[in-house]
Amino acid sequence: MIVEMRTGASKEEVDDVVRKARSFDLGVQLNIGTDKTVVAILGSNTGQIPTDLFAVLPGVESVTRIMKPYKLASREFQRRDTVVDCAGVKIGGERIVVMAGPCAVESESQLMQAAEGVKKAGAAILRGGAFKPRTSPFSFQGLQKKGLELLAATKERFAMPVVTEVVNPQDIKLVSTYADMLQIGSRNMQNFALLTGAGKSGRPVVLKRGFSCTITEWLTAADYLLAEGENKVILCERGIRTFEDSIRFSLDISAVPVIKKNSHLPVIVDPSHAAGHYSLVPAIAKAAVAAGADGLLIEVHPNPKEALVDGLQSLSLSDFSRLMDELRMIAKAVGRYI
Amino acid sequence: MIVEMRTGASKEEVDDVVRKARSFDLGVQLNIGTDKTVVAILGSNTGQIPTDLFAVLPGVESVTRIMKPYKLASREFQRRDTVVDCAGVKIGGERIVVMAGPCAVESESQLMQAAEGVKKAGAAILRGGAFKPRTSPFSFQGLQKKGLELLAATKERFAMPVVTEVVNPQDIKLVSTYADMLQIGSRNMQNFALLTGAGKSGRPVVLKRGFSCTITEWLTAADYLLAEGENKVILCERGIRTFEDSIRFSLDISAVPVIKKNSHLPVIVDPSHAAGHYSLVPAIAKAAVAAGADGLLIEVHPNPKEALVDGLQSLSLSDFSRLMDELRMIAKAVGRYI
Amino acid sequence: MIVEMRTGASKEEVDDVVRKARSFDLGVQLNIGTDKTVVAILGSNTGQIPTDLFAVLPGVESVTRIMKPYKLASREFQRRDTVVDCAGVKIGGERIVVMAGPCAVESESQLMQAAEGVKKAGAAILRGGAFKPRTSPFSFQGLQKKGLELLAATKERFAMPVVTEVVNPQDIKLVSTYADMLQIGSRNMQNFALLTGAGKSGRPVVLKRGFSCTITEWLTAADYLLAEGENKVILCERGIRTFEDSIRFSLDISAVPVIKKNSHLPVIVDPSHAAGHYSLVPAIAKAAVAAGADGLLIEVHPNPKEALVDGLQSLSLSDFSRLMDELRMIAKAVGRYI
Amino acid sequence: MIVEMRTGASKEEVDDVVRKARSFDLGVQLNIGTDKTVVAILGSNTGQIPTDLFAVLPGVESVTRIMKPYKLASREFQRRDTVVDCAGVKIGGERIVVMAGPCAVESESQLMQAAEGVKKAGAAILRGGAFKPRTSPFSFQGLQKKGLELLAATKERFAMPVVTEVVNPQDIKLVSTYADMLQIGSRNMQNFALLTGAGKSGRPVVLKRGFSCTITEWLTAADYLLAEGENKVILCERGIRTFEDSIRFSLDISAVPVIKKNSHLPVIVDPSHAAGHYSLVPAIAKAAVAAGADGLLIEVHPNPKEALVDGLQSLSLSDFSRLMDELRMIAKAVGRYI
């Protein structure tokens, strides 16, 4: 941590900073410049100490963190890449794992058709929402328990692991009974009660990035999951909010190499929620694979025109199948396979 | 809802749109332009119908919502201003209600000192956090139940209503036992399980704006609270995330007049979280009162230098007292009082 | 400048950083921590040295600037507040200076009516655009030279100084002949050829903030003007681009206290371009005065319904007159006058 | 254009809207809903008519544009893809055109080495800056005329077309004498004097996206170039400003498919300015090709450690050569070549 003193700060003010640092058992080195005094505060856990402790002292101009605030998710904590096992499917290895299915589970026939189609096209994991977090209380909220049962039945029939979203800490146990992997949505990335509960479930967890959170905050949220003792977290980039209005969210493609640099966790991309429109999904999905993503989470519906939720961003089964062929070519070009 | 067809869309495609609209019992009017056909879909509940239902149909270029997605929070639903009663203190009337106190409850003496000081300076409601949502799992998470007990004791001693944050649906009952008003934080604005629970509690609720949510989404989230039957919601603007890096969040001062135009709910401003630095709090607080805010939520600590959380953005008791004098002048200039 | 080395950086890599710093005649101090080595680079002109010079060296993790990149505009360069004189009107002193008038000069009668009305209501300076930077080449581009002549005539008749925008370096001489003060628009904040030309003109300059520029970039752009030798720059906050879509731009009210802290230059606020709608202008204007702004730039049109440009954000003369009365009350509450 | 009237708007207010529309020779259709009256205003040039003309009328709630504000750049104006010829190199066809070279021309040997290296690796066009727009007046501003001469000499020696930036309308003639293609930088995207001048030059123009401009504004700015009569514009996505702080700008990968959908112009990607760090350039470059970009603009320096400008984001010649091999694989996977 670097504490920059104001021009003209007194010796007493500098001493105060030094004293406070020592009271936390931190090392201190002073740099007395011509214009400014700079105090370097050293120690391996300074990333977890609030900068405010020093910033609030008289004579301090600014405090800059050198150590990152996250720890367990960092590449420095674990050098080698984490590979997460979801009911036998490995995420984070050479294979690019495609998770596909409808936004919301609507009925048995819809889910079965979707599962059959995406499996045939090469998807490794089935996705489908039973609990839907909706911005308006008057919108369809998902089939809930009934949806979970349909997911479990489909999973059995097509021998595909299932991932589904959980939105309330009270439902974690129930959802874990039916699903192989939990998903935490963008709006819940900093719902710390939910993170702690999901971390305790023992299930692998897909943690979507908050649509307005920095990568640093995202990795710090992953620490909540990892702190419960299991190294089974998959990060999912799904677009961030910007001023651009031609799409729903701007997919932050740089998040893929930045995560690979700073963290050992696998990272996948959800092109559907970012695009908001099926016609933009293929280009973003291909870009994600080329940039090094470990997987994709794609919305596919047997009949998008009749979808209850997010029909516009869903691919039809034939569009999905065509996209998978294109993705296989890109995967090969970057030395991987689907 | 306005459905714009693509240039050259066929008659069948237009008919499909019309048919779908009629299947929802909606009125339809066609505008056949020289370049484009435009279908106007009419009805009082089109605000709650997803635009995707039409956007997904072949030949459709775009769908624009005319009715807003929120309903109960809208000025059109209720013309007159809502005044919320918090244990006798009226929020949304002529008086500008100042809620002040420490970010986190740390100890009995800290809370008592804070309460005594802010009451003397003119604050109407005491704030203090017992459950602290922290971005890192390794940070201080609040005194929890012990903090609630301290709040209740302080409230009794100084006869001030108390507002405190709730972060987990399971804690709502407990928190409601001790506090007069619940606060839902920025990161939980779209935690719909928490909103529904808080709405059922019967307590007035301060709903902070998600730091990256639009005003429309904020009012739609308020619908979750209002849908439980009580008209006791106070909106709190606390800064939005932008590219600007000299402050923590950019306070969206325009939110005050926009809310007043579009909603009947009272709106207050939290200058402390936006500023992130005590020296910027007074200017923002004064601006909020001048812009028409119904109240302020300000962090005050008897000894900011020793605060466990957010010390840098807390005012000392003497700074707070001086600010209250300045705010009284501005309140008078806009025809109100504190 | 603080250079943080990577964990495990070699002694040679650290030496390279030190050598490069010394080659620029900069002081160096080493902090050898348990995990990381940190090199502090000292000297009064490190704010103007690119961080890349060090960031590009092997073994370097990150480089953090301690000195700000701007110099002449900084509070450290000049402690006392600058007061700019615009043809006798002092900007940056006790008086809050209101500049008002139409967005675009349209005709003699329009301009004369506007000038008469705003002067009567208490405006100190007349604004009006002759060269209009428009996003589409097919929109009205202003009356240009004819507009400047009308401004000069109006100025003479009503004895009010005039401010107008300049958009092309080639026009600076012409515009300076007619106007008392030049305005550089948001889209030209980093048009460095225009800044240099305007700095050489000898006229005071209103520098609007780029709608997506940080305050640091804004003050650095001001350095371009100040580098030409005259201390006659007025900063104008006019709203920044965010995700919020209920208004045109989000006025960054915190810019006012941040500028006051970091710079000696006067700062004014343009509520009209931020709001985009006349009904939101008064609340923002009042907030600006309460926050400490030195002036306002407000669009006023004798007949907004017939305006060729930006009619929706223009106040009528009677609305402006009413607002001025309200602003006088706020100005008094903060110890100033209009 | 869709004009939505306020609930309860009077017949006179509706008539006013209709009258105004007819005065511009526009067609009108009325939709009298149960809650709201909606007026559809029809005509092929409504995209160029300001919405304010109607929004300002009494009783109007909002005005929504259906036609886009740009015209010449739109896919509707020209169905087939534009292919731009830059001294024999075709941009927008099957070949993906890589433009590479140093950020700033620094010396003859630097430029010659760079040109030789990038040509050998497969780049089609040489880039290099002679006029550098710098945020601080105290930074290196480029070699200017001397830089142009070096570019011309290098171009001759290696038989590669040259692209370079122009920053001042007065320099367009000079720059056009030396360079095959002009570049307009992000900060000048809405410098309309510069756009008009560049449009008149007869040279092809690379128009970088303003780092905080929407795609719609970008295409509208392209209309300024196209309005001068030549269809020689190449759009360049180079990252947008967001709240994310781990990279310099967030590359908007979705801009590629959105441009392809809405415009006939070729689109290229600059991964270097977005990333700000050489280690992130390859992933973004590969993503761009996979997403369908027609070319890349990449910074390459023979010795990044000694670069005067932007060394951190420059690839070395060997890194560039390796990247080109990877890009060839991706290009092939999407049915193109480099």
Side-chain angles (χ1 to χ4, degrees), chain A residues 93-114:
Chain A
E94 206 179 321
R95 181 182 186 189
I96 290 168
V97 176
V98 178
M99 314 178 189
C103 181
V105 176
E106 295 169 12
S107 69
E108 188 177 351
S109 75
Q110 173 241 25
L111 191 62
M112 292 286 174
Q113 271 185 67

PDB file of all heavy atoms in Angstrom, chain A residues 93-114:
ATOM      1  N   GLY A  93     -10.151 -27.332 -19.323  1.00  0.00           N
ATOM      2  CA  GLY A  93      -9.112 -28.119 -19.978  1.00  0.00           C
ATOM      3  C   GLY A  93      -9.065 -27.826 -21.470  1.00  0.00           C
ATOM      4  O   GLY A  93      -9.443 -26.738 -21.913  1.00  0.00           O
ATOM      5  N   GLU A  94      -8.638 -28.819 -22.246  1.00  0.00           N
ATOM      6  CA  GLU A  94      -8.465 -28.584 -23.680  1.00  0.00           C
ATOM      7  C   GLU A  94      -9.828 -28.460 -24.383  1.00  0.00           C
ATOM      8  O   GLU A  94      -9.960 -27.731 -25.361  1.00  0.00           O
ATOM      9  CB  GLU A  94      -7.688 -29.763 -24.271  1.00  0.00           C
ATOM     10  CG  GLU A  94      -6.912 -29.388 -25.524  1.00  0.00           C
ATOM     11  CD  GLU A  94      -6.146 -30.598 -26.064  1.00  0.00           C
ATOM     12  OE1 GLU A  94      -5.609 -31.384 -25.243  1.00  0.00           O
ATOM     13  OE2 GLU A  94      -6.131 -30.762 -27.286  1.00  0.00           O
ATOM     14  N   ARG A  95     -10.817 -29.181 -23.859  1.00  0.00           N
ATOM     15  CA  ARG A  95     -12.134 -29.127 -24.486  1.00  0.00           C
ATOM     16  C   ARG A  95     -12.858 -27.826 -24.146  1.00  0.00           C
ATOM     17  O   ARG A  95     -12.873 -27.398 -22.981  1.00  0.00           O
ATOM     18  CB  ARG A  95     -12.981 -30.299 -23.986  1.00  0.00           C
ATOM     19  CG  ARG A  95     -14.365 -30.326 -24.628  1.00  0.00           C
ATOM     20  CD  ARG A  95     -15.211 -31.469 -24.100  1.00  0.00           C
ATOM     21  NE  ARG A  95     -16.467 -31.567 -24.822  1.00  0.00           N
ATOM     22  CZ  ARG A  95     -17.471 -32.356 -24.463  1.00  0.00           C
ATOM     23  NH1 ARG A  95     -17.353 -33.143 -23.406  1.00  0.00           N
ATOM     24  NH2 ARG A  95     -18.589 -32.360 -25.161  1.00  0.00           N
ATOM     25  N   ILE A  96     -13.459 -27.228 -25.158  1.00  0.00           N
ATOM     26  CA  ILE A  96     -14.316 -26.064 -24.932  1.00  0.00           C
ATOM     27  C   ILE A  96     -15.722 -26.587 -24.678  1.00  0.00           C
ATOM     28  O   ILE A  96     -16.306 -27.266 -25.523  1.00  0.00           O
ATOM     29  CB  ILE A  96     -14.254 -25.117 -26.148  1.00  0.00           C
ATOM     30  CG1 ILE A  96     -12.866 -24.466 -26.185  1.00  0.00           C
ATOM     31  CG2 ILE A  96     -15.348 -24.068 -26.079  1.00  0.00           C
ATOM     32  CD1 ILE A  96     -12.547 -23.750 -27.460  1.00  0.00           C
ATOM     33  N   VAL A  97     -16.243 -26.287 -23.495  1.00  0.00           N
ATOM     34  CA  VAL A  97     -17.504 -26.886 -23.052  1.00  0.00           C
ATOM     35  C   VAL A  97     -18.671 -25.961 -23.402  1.00  0.00           C
ATOM     36  O   VAL A  97     -18.741 -24.832 -22.925  1.00  0.00           O
ATOM     37  CB  VAL A  97     -17.456 -27.137 -21.533  1.00  0.00           C
ATOM     38  CG1 VAL A  97     -18.803 -27.660 -21.046  1.00  0.00           C
ATOM     39  CG2 VAL A  97     -16.339 -28.122 -21.197  1.00  0.00           C
ATOM     40  N   VAL A  98     -19.588 -26.459 -24.217  1.00  0.00           N
ATOM     41  CA  VAL A  98     -20.760 -25.666 -24.574  1.00  0.00           C
ATOM     42  C   VAL A  98     -21.948 -26.106 -23.724  1.00  0.00           C
ATOM     43  O   VAL A  98     -22.292 -27.281 -23.677  1.00  0.00           O
ATOM     44  CB  VAL A  98     -21.080 -25.793 -26.081  1.00  0.00           C
ATOM     45  CG1 VAL A  98     -22.337 -25.002 -26.429  1.00  0.00           C
ATOM     46  CG2 VAL A  98     -19.896 -25.294 -26.906  1.00  0.00           C
ATOM     47  N   MET A  99     -22.533 -25.134 -23.025  1.00  0.00           N
ATOM     48  CA  MET A  99     -23.729 -25.373 -22.212  1.00  0.00           C
ATOM     49  C   MET A  99     -24.873 -24.682 -22.944  1.00  0.00           C
ATOM     50  O   MET A  99     -24.782 -23.488 -23.214  1.00  0.00           O
ATOM     51  CB  MET A  99     -23.562 -24.756 -20.827  1.00  0.00           C
ATOM     52  CG  MET A  99     -22.192 -25.059 -20.205  1.00  0.00           C
ATOM     53  SD  MET A  99     -21.953 -24.292 -18.578  1.00  0.00           S
ATOM     54  CE  MET A  99     -20.181 -24.657 -18.344  1.00  0.00           C
ATOM     55  N   ALA A 100     -25.907 -25.419 -23.255  1.00  0.00           N
ATOM     56  CA  ALA A 100     -26.972 -24.824 -24.064  1.00  0.00           C
ATOM     57  C   ALA A 100     -28.330 -25.318 -23.600  1.00  0.00           C
ATOM     58  O   ALA A 100     -28.448 -26.361 -22.961  1.00  0.00           O
ATOM     59  CB  ALA A 100     -26.754 -25.164 -25.534  1.00  0.00           C
ATOM     60  N   GLY A 101     -29.343 -24.543 -23.938  1.00  0.00           N
ATOM     61  CA  GLY A 101     -30.706 -24.895 -23.567  1.00  0.00           C
ATOM     62  C   GLY A 101     -31.539 -23.631 -23.442  1.00  0.00           C
ATOM     63  O   GLY A 101     -31.043 -22.528 -23.690  1.00  0.00           O
ATOM     64  N   PRO A 102     -32.798 -23.779 -23.046  1.00  0.00           N
ATOM     65  CA  PRO A 102     -33.690 -22.620 -23.009  1.00  0.00           C
ATOM     66  C   PRO A 102     -33.415 -21.714 -21.811  1.00  0.00           C
ATOM     67  O   PRO A 102     -32.944 -22.179 -20.772  1.00  0.00           O
ATOM     68  CB  PRO A 102     -35.072 -23.249 -22.890  1.00  0.00           C
ATOM     69  CG  PRO A 102     -34.843 -24.569 -22.230  1.00  0.00           C
ATOM     70  CD  PRO A 102     -33.482 -25.039 -22.668  1.00  0.00           C
ATOM     71  N   CYS A 103     -33.744 -20.450 -21.962  1.00  0.00           N
ATOM     72  CA  CYS A 103     -33.630 -19.491 -20.862  1.00  0.00           C
ATOM     73  C   CYS A 103     -34.460 -19.997 -19.685  1.00  0.00           C
ATOM     74  O   CYS A 103     -33.950 -20.184 -18.595  1.00  0.00           O
ATOM     75  CB  CYS A 103     -34.121 -18.125 -21.336  1.00  0.00           C
ATOM     76  SG  CYS A 103     -33.997 -16.865 -20.069  1.00  0.00           S
ATOM     77  N   ALA A 104     -35.739 -20.254 -19.947  1.00  0.00           N
ATOM     78  CA  ALA A 104     -36.630 -20.756 -18.892  1.00  0.00           C
ATOM     79  C   ALA A 104     -37.178 -22.115 -19.293  1.00  0.00           C
ATOM     80  O   ALA A 104     -37.523 -22.340 -20.453  1.00  0.00           O
ATOM     81  CB  ALA A 104     -37.790 -19.788 -18.683  1.00  0.00           C
ATOM     82  N   VAL A 105     -37.265 -23.025 -18.316  1.00  0.00           N
ATOM     83  CA  VAL A 105     -37.975 -24.285 -18.523  1.00  0.00           C
ATOM     84  C   VAL A 105     -39.462 -23.941 -18.593  1.00  0.00           C
ATOM     85  O   VAL A 105     -39.996 -23.298 -17.677  1.00  0.00           O
ATOM     86  CB  VAL A 105     -37.711 -25.254 -17.349  1.00  0.00           C
ATOM     87  CG1 VAL A 105     -38.525 -26.526 -17.526  1.00  0.00           C
ATOM     88  CG2 VAL A 105     -36.231 -25.566 -17.230  1.00  0.00           C
ATOM     89  N   GLU A 106     -40.097 -24.327 -19.692  1.00  0.00           N
ATOM     90  CA  GLU A 106     -41.515 -23.968 -19.858  1.00  0.00           C
ATOM     91  C   GLU A 106     -42.429 -25.187 -19.785  1.00  0.00           C
ATOM     92  O   GLU A 106     -43.548 -25.107 -19.286  1.00  0.00           O
ATOM     93  CB  GLU A 106     -41.711 -23.258 -21.198  1.00  0.00           C
ATOM     94  CG  GLU A 106     -40.978 -21.914 -21.282  1.00  0.00           C
ATOM     95  CD  GLU A 106     -40.956 -21.341 -22.693  1.00  0.00           C
ATOM     96  OE1 GLU A 106     -41.693 -21.857 -23.563  1.00  0.00           O
ATOM     97  OE2 GLU A 106     -40.200 -20.372 -22.921  1.00  0.00           O
ATOM     98  N   SER A 107     -41.959 -26.304 -20.314  1.00  0.00           N
ATOM     99  CA  SER A 107     -42.794 -27.514 -20.328  1.00  0.00           C
ATOM    100  C   SER A 107     -41.904 -28.714 -20.612  1.00  0.00           C
ATOM    101  O   SER A 107     -40.763 -28.556 -21.039  1.00  0.00           O
ATOM    102  CB  SER A 107     -43.848 -27.418 -21.436  1.00  0.00           C
ATOM    103  OG  SER A 107     -43.193 -27.507 -22.698  1.00  0.00           O
ATOM    104  N   GLU A 108     -42.455 -29.888 -20.400  1.00  0.00           N
ATOM    105  CA  GLU A 108     -41.671 -31.091 -20.638  1.00  0.00           C
ATOM    106  C   GLU A 108     -41.244 -31.193 -22.098  1.00  0.00           C
ATOM    107  O   GLU A 108     -40.083 -31.441 -22.407  1.00  0.00           O
ATOM    108  CB  GLU A 108     -42.496 -32.343 -20.246  1.00  0.00           C
ATOM    109  CG  GLU A 108     -41.642 -33.583 -20.291  1.00  0.00           C
ATOM    110  CD  GLU A 108     -42.394 -34.837 -19.835  1.00  0.00           C
ATOM    111  OE1 GLU A 108     -43.532 -34.691 -19.319  1.00  0.00           O
ATOM    112  OE2 GLU A 108     -41.846 -35.943 -19.995  1.00  0.00           O
ATOM    113  N   SER A 109     -42.203 -30.963 -23.004  1.00  0.00           N
ATOM    114  CA  SER A 109     -41.860 -31.169 -24.412  1.00  0.00           C
ATOM    115  C   SER A 109     -40.830 -30.134 -24.876  1.00  0.00           C
ATOM    116  O   SER A 109     -39.919 -30.446 -25.626  1.00  0.00           O
ATOM    117  CB  SER A 109     -43.118 -31.130 -25.277  1.00  0.00           C
ATOM    118  OG  SER A 109     -43.548 -29.792 -25.401  1.00  0.00           O
ATOM    119  N   GLN A 110     -40.998 -28.884 -24.402  1.00  0.00           N
ATOM    120  CA  GLN A 110     -40.022 -27.857 -24.785  1.00  0.00           C
ATOM    121  C   GLN A 110     -38.628 -28.257 -24.327  1.00  0.00           C
ATOM    122  O   GLN A 110     -37.653 -28.175 -25.075  1.00  0.00           O
ATOM    123  CB  GLN A 110     -40.443 -26.509 -24.154  1.00  0.00           C
ATOM    124  CG  GLN A 110     -39.425 -25.398 -24.331  1.00  0.00           C
ATOM    125  CD  GLN A 110     -38.899 -24.874 -22.987  1.00  0.00           C
ATOM    126  OE1 GLN A 110     -38.913 -25.591 -21.964  1.00  0.00           O
ATOM    127  NE2 GLN A 110     -38.415 -23.651 -23.006  1.00  0.00           N
ATOM    128  N   LEU A 111     -38.505 -28.712 -23.080  1.00  0.00           N
ATOM    129  CA  LEU A 111     -37.189 -29.021 -22.533  1.00  0.00           C
ATOM    130  C   LEU A 111     -36.591 -30.256 -23.204  1.00  0.00           C
ATOM    131  O   LEU A 111     -35.396 -30.285 -23.526  1.00  0.00           O
ATOM    132  CB  LEU A 111     -37.299 -29.227 -21.011  1.00  0.00           C
ATOM    133  CG  LEU A 111     -35.954 -29.303 -20.282  1.00  0.00           C
ATOM    134  CD1 LEU A 111     -35.172 -28.005 -20.436  1.00  0.00           C
ATOM    135  CD2 LEU A 111     -36.166 -29.615 -18.804  1.00  0.00           C
ATOM    136  N   MET A 112     -37.435 -31.269 -23.418  1.00  0.00           N
ATOM    137  CA  MET A 112     -36.935 -32.497 -24.046  1.00  0.00           C
ATOM    138  C   MET A 112     -36.434 -32.219 -25.467  1.00  0.00           C
ATOM    139  O   MET A 112     -35.361 -32.642 -25.859  1.00  0.00           O
ATOM    140  CB  MET A 112     -38.057 -33.558 -24.101  1.00  0.00           C
ATOM    141  CG  MET A 112     -38.468 -34.091 -22.733  1.00  0.00           C
ATOM    142  SD  MET A 112     -37.216 -35.225 -22.017  1.00  0.00           S
ATOM    143  CE  MET A 112     -37.915 -35.520 -20.378  1.00  0.00           C
ATOM    144  N   GLN A 113     -37.245 -31.477 -26.227  1.00  0.00           N
ATOM    145  CA  GLN A 113     -36.818 -31.118 -27.589  1.00  0.00           C
ATOM    146  C   GLN A 113     -35.508 -30.345 -27.586  1.00  0.00           C
ATOM    147  O   GLN A 113     -34.630 -30.579 -28.400  1.00  0.00           O
ATOM    148  CB  GLN A 113     -37.867 -30.208 -28.234  1.00  0.00           C
ATOM    149  CG  GLN A 113     -38.966 -30.914 -28.972  1.00  0.00           C
ATOM    150  CD  GLN A 113     -39.856 -29.875 -29.663  1.00  0.00           C
ATOM    151  OE1 GLN A 113     -39.439 -29.190 -30.594  1.00  0.00           O
ATOM    152  NE2 GLN A 113     -41.062 -29.731 -29.149  1.00  0.00           N
ATOM    153  N   ALA A 114     -35.412 -29.386 -26.647  1.00  0.00           N
ATOM    154  CA  ALA A 114     -34.191 -28.578 -26.576  1.00  0.00           C
ATOM    155  C   ALA A 114     -33.004 -29.471 -26.249  1.00  0.00           C
ATOM    156  O   ALA A 114     -31.953 -29.394 -26.890  1.00  0.00           O
ATOM    157  CB  ALA A 114     -34.350 -27.485 -25.513  1.00  0.00           C
TER     158      ALA A 114
END
